[in-house]
């Protein structure tokens, strides 16, 4: 067990993830924030159980770690322009939201540093979130594969999900979550497949198939083959952490060095989480 002052940090025992206890996220001082940031950078995914947070509390917590990020395709909840409701009805028949591995908003010029999710209505079973540690995946990557991706730059786009003809586009039916597809999703942005984490200095893989639609300067077929090979490696079981949700639990993760995906298994139950995005913060 790691300790930082009065805060207890209990590692998950998996490739990433830890639970933080003995802290009230409504009443943080600067020392608490510093301890949480240090734990976040070390463990990459932090879970805070038993937190009684209002939407204003969730916003205030987010702002202790960076500015609000831009969520271009989500409608905000009333009165809180930086909170999105991640919602699914008990009887919903739409495809599961965010079921593919991804790094949030990697198609932006300055993707967000992190994401916060607060569990408001949590089913008694199913709905775990999976995370995979991209720093560990790169460190363990075979030299032959590393040589293939070294220096390569991915072409990122939101078109597969959020364009009018994308997965969550105009034909997406019976979805309770308020997604707003638009033509801006067709834009592209370049990011290296291997990046250096701006706070830790560690090398990490960045993003994956879905938001990466090609490799700059590479034939499309060859790029797909290489991205598929990278995907098979970066999502291996040994790099994963499976997170089980509880009501009133907040989870924050480092978008710069983990991928995540939603899982199902709670048909017949409502599920509701409130989400904020920790925006990009330039490091001097």
């Amino acid at each position: 067990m790691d300790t930082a002052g009065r805060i207890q940090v209990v590692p998950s025992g998996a490739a990433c993830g830890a639970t933080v206890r003995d802290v009230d996220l409504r009443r943080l001082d600067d020392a608490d924030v510093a301890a949480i940031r240090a734990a976040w950078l070390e463990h990459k995914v932090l879970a805070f159980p038993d937190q009684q947070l209002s939407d204003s509390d969730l916003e205030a917590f987010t702002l202790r770690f960076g500015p609000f990020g831009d969520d271009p395709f989500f409608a905000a909840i009333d009165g809180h322009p930086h909170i999105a409701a991640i919602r699914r009805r008990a009887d919903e028949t739409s495809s599961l939201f965010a079921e593919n591995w991804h790094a949030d908003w990697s198609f932006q010029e300055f993707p967000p540093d992190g994401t916060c999710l607060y569990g408001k209505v949590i089913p008694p079973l199913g709905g775990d979130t999976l995370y995979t540690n991209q720093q560990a995946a790169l460190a363990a990557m075979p030299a032959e594969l590393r040589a293939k991706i070294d220096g390569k730059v991915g072409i990122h786009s939101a078109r597969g999900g959020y364009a009018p003809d994308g997965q969550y586009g105009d034909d997406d039916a019976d979805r309770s979550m308020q997604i707003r597809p638009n033509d801006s999703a067709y834009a592209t942005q370049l990011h290296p497949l291997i990046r250096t984490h701006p706070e830790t200095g560690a090398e990490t893989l960045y993003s994956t198939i879905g938001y990466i639609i090609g490799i700059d300067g590479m034939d499309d077929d060859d790029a797909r083959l290489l991205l598929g090979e990278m995907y098979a490696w970066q999502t291996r079981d040994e790099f994963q952490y499976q997170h089980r949700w509880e009501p009133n639990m907040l989870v924050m993760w480092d978008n710069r060095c983990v991928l995540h995906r939603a899982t199902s298994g709670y048909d017949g139950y409502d599920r509701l989480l409130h989400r904020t995005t920790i925006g990009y913060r330039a490091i001097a």
Side-chain angles (χ1 to χ4, degrees), residues 94-243:
S94 64
S95 62
L96 184 67
F97 176 70
E99 63 183 333
N100 298 314
W101 289 109
H102 63 286
D104 282 334
W105 302 156
S106 72
F107 51 81
Q108 294 180 332
E109 181 180 4
F110 299 104
D113 288 356
T115 304
C116 298
L117 272 184
Y118 179 61
K120 297 180 73 67
V121 178
I122 300 299
L125 73 170
D128 293 356
T129 301
L130 301 181
Y131 297 91
T132 177
N133 182 340
Q134 296 304 281
Q135 180 181 325
L138 180 61
M141 178 176 280
E144 182 180 0
L145 178 54
R146 166 82 190 231
K148 291 180 183 179
I149 67 171
D150 237 338
K152 298 291 194 301
V153 176
I155 305 169
H156 296 242
S157 174
R159 65 187 60 183
Y162 299 103
D165 58 353
Q167 182 178 359
Y168 310 119
D170 294 341
D171 294 332
D172 188 35
D174 190 38
R175 187 174 300 280
S176 55
M177 186 175 164
Q178 299 299 301
I179 299 176
R180 298 289 182 262
N182 63 69
D183 287 342
S184 70
Y186 293 115
T188 60
Q189 183 64 51
L190 300 179
H191 295 295
L193 297 182
I194 298 175
R195 302 200 313 175
T196 298
H197 193 292
E199 292 191 71
T200 68
E203 286 189 316
T204 179
L205 295 172
Y206 184 63
S207 201
T208 188
I209 291 173
Y211 284 154
I212 301 181
I213 62 171
I215 295 176
D216 191 39
M218 197 170 187
D219 174 82
D220 285 346
D221 289 339
D222 292 340
R224 277 192 291 270
L225 288 172
L226 181 54
L227 290 170
E229 190 176 355
M230 186 176 87
Y231 175 86
W233 180 263
Q234 69 189 147
T235 60
R236 287 167 65 103
D237 288 349
E238 59 261 41
F239 308 130
Q240 291 186 31
Y241 159 59
Q242 182 168 349
H243 177 74

Side-chain angles (χ1 to χ4, degrees), residues 8-12 17-21 45-49 241 243 249:
Q8 292 189 339
V9 182
V10 184
S12 69
T19 300
V20 183
R21 303 189 183 278
V45 183
L46 297 182
F48 302 84
Y241 159 59
H243 177 74
M249 173 180 279

